[in-house]
Amino acid sequence: MRRPVILLLVMFLVLSTAGCTSPLTETRLTAAPGAAFTVTDQAGRVVEITAPVERIVSGYYISTSVCIALGLADRLTGIEARAAARPIYALAAPELLELPSVGSARDFNMEACIALAPELVILPRHSRDQADIMAGMGISAILVNPESYESLMDMIALIGASAEVPDRAGDLIAYMEATRAFIENTAAQLTDRPSVYMCGVGSYLRTATKDMYQTGLIKMSGGQSAAPDLPGNGWADISYEQLLAMNPDVMVIPPEAVYGRDDVINDPQLRSLSAVVNGRVYTMPGDFEAWDSPIPSSMLGALWLLHVLHPDAYSMEELRLNAASFYHEFYGIHIDTGLIGK
């Protein structure tokens, strides 16, 4: 293995032995096993958890992925809709595909959830009304909001504390912190900062705004957003004229896009775009998970971006080795690294 891979593994071991290093999560990893305790969720609600927690419902893909990484798949009794569309479920926890659905993050089915007699329910922050209703029924429901790297770390720690697996959460956080440090340290030594346009899932005339998680991944990996002043923390529709004015060096198609690279490069209105002219339109790998989402494997998305933007600093071979190590360590699977490309 080349130096960057060795460095990343060493940093992971150092941080793992030191425990969680993020100040956001230190107080969340101290729940005593086997006793009732409280946590403060990401909506600022104080939630009482009655141990042991053996039946968990996750109404959100993001939290379900974290639960698998924390070794909680066998405690899940219900998950969000469209489970079959998530490759990581079939790979790491195929039993999840047989679980009852509790709807989507936008259309949560509270009645179906309650029928499963959960001891812990994990929902996105905008589901506060449903969480409060269940709390009144004696069901512990926590709200999560992983819209930034820091809040993703906090969510992992919150779920780890709530489900009484703080050490596992600490290991995952340590890995992610080490990976981020490696990426940022590598990028800091480079002078080139390509402008990157992150396409939307439904259309390439839709892009990530300045406060989105995806925009943070671009910056972390040594790039700069092609839309640094586009306000908001969601996706925004733009015109051809706006995209041509941005003239990004690189275009990234997200893993779950309903179109492909050929659609972009064959669009006659984008013929003069720098990314198209120079052949720098790439599709982020999606055979395992959507690496651009705020999930643990988003660090692999950042490593992929590092390679795409700075291939001389970080190779595809190194990415494949690190991806294999990550999925073996936290998801218990051996992946086909040949599926990772650009």
Side-chain angles (χ1 to χ4, degrees):
M1 294 189 297
R2 289 173 56 191
R3 180 200 57 78
V5 178
I6 296 173
L7 175 61
L8 181 54
L9 295 177
V10 169
M11 292 174 68
F12 170 52
L13 291 172
V14 170
L15 286 175
S16 292
T17 56
C20 175
T21 61
S22 170
L24 287 173
T25 58
E26 287 175 354
T27 61
R28 299 287 177 83
L29 298 173
T30 57
F37 56 93
T38 62
V39 296
T40 301
D41 71 12
Q42 292 186 289
R45 300 163 60 252
V46 177
V47 180
E48 181 173 294
I49 310 292
T50 302
V53 173
E54 299 294 343
R55 298 178 62 82
I56 301 173
V57 168
S58 171
Y60 190 24
Y61 159 60
I62 304 297
S63 54
T64 303
S65 181
V66 170
C67 283
I68 299 172
L70 296 182
L72 300 172
D74 61 345
R75 297 198 218 172
L76 288 167
T77 57
I79 58 173
E80 78 288 348
R82 297 184 64 245
R86 309 297 182 186
I88 193 63
Y89 296 178
L91 290 168
E95 65 274 14
L96 298 186
L97 301 177
E98 305 301 321
L99 292 182
S101 166
V102 294
S104 67
R106 295 184 181 277
D107 188 21
F108 177 63
N109 188 332
M110 186 166 62
E111 291 75 15
C113 176
I114 293 171
L116 297 173
E119 293 159 341
L120 176 66
V121 179
I122 309 169
L123 296 173
R125 190 172 65 175
H126 65 254
S127 299
R128 180 162 190 155
D129 289 346
Q130 294 93 329
D132 287 344
I133 291 171
M134 286 188 287
M137 300 173 65
I139 300 172
S140 301
I142 57 173
L143 299 176
V144 297
N145 187 46
E147 294 301 325
S148 67
Y149 174 83
E150 290 76 15
S151 60
L152 173 58
M153 298 299 97
D154 205 25
M155 183 188 75
I156 293 169
L158 172 62
I159 295 174
S162 300
E164 299 186 288
V165 288
D167 291 342
R168 181 68 172 177
D171 287 344
L172 180 56
I173 291 168
Y175 170 86
M176 296 182 70
E177 293 276 54
T179 306
R180 182 182 69 159
F182 166 75
I183 295 168
E184 292 181 338
N185 288 340
T186 302
Q189 300 174 44
L190 305 170
T191 57
D192 182 31
R193 292 289 185 273
S195 64
V196 181
Y197 179 87
M198 178 66 74
C199 302
V201 171
S203 170
Y204 47 84
L205 290 180
R206 190 169 175 81
T207 192
T209 54
K210 68 183 184 69
D211 294 324
M212 281 195 75
Y213 190 80
Q214 287 83 350
T215 302
L217 292 182
I218 292 170
K219 181 179 179 181
M220 183 189 302
S221 303
Q224 55 182 328
S225 171
D229 301 318
L230 201 59
N233 60 356
W235 298 98
D237 293 319
I238 65 167
S239 65
Y240 276 108
E241 291 74 18
Q242 286 174 295
L243 179 50
L244 290 170
M246 292 176 188
N247 196 28
D249 299 313
V250 175
M251 292 183 71
V252 174
I253 300 171
E256 297 179 319
V258 298
Y259 55 91
R261 182 176 185 272
D262 288 346
D263 296 302
V264 176
I265 63 177
N266 292 326
D267 188 328
Q269 298 195 65
L270 300 181
R271 194 171 298 153
S272 64
L273 206 66
S274 178
V276 173
V277 171
N278 296 313
R280 302 195 72 186
V281 179
Y282 306 103
T283 301
M284 186 176 283
D287 290 284
F288 313 110
E289 295 180 274
W291 284 357
D292 65 318
S293 300
I295 51 178
S297 62
S298 63
M299 290 299 95
L300 299 179
L303 287 168
W304 178 85
L305 274 171
L306 180 65
H307 168 68
V308 164
L309 302 181
H310 308 286
D312 292 336
Y314 183 72
S315 71
M316 178 59 72
E317 177 190 7
E318 292 162 339
L319 170 61
R320 289 170 174 167
L321 286 170
N322 282 314
S325 175
F326 168 81
Y327 278 115
H328 180 258
E329 174 66 25
F330 293 104
Y331 289 81
I333 58 175
H334 296 280
I335 63 168
D336 179 0
T337 58
L339 297 173
I340 301 173
K342 60 179 183 180

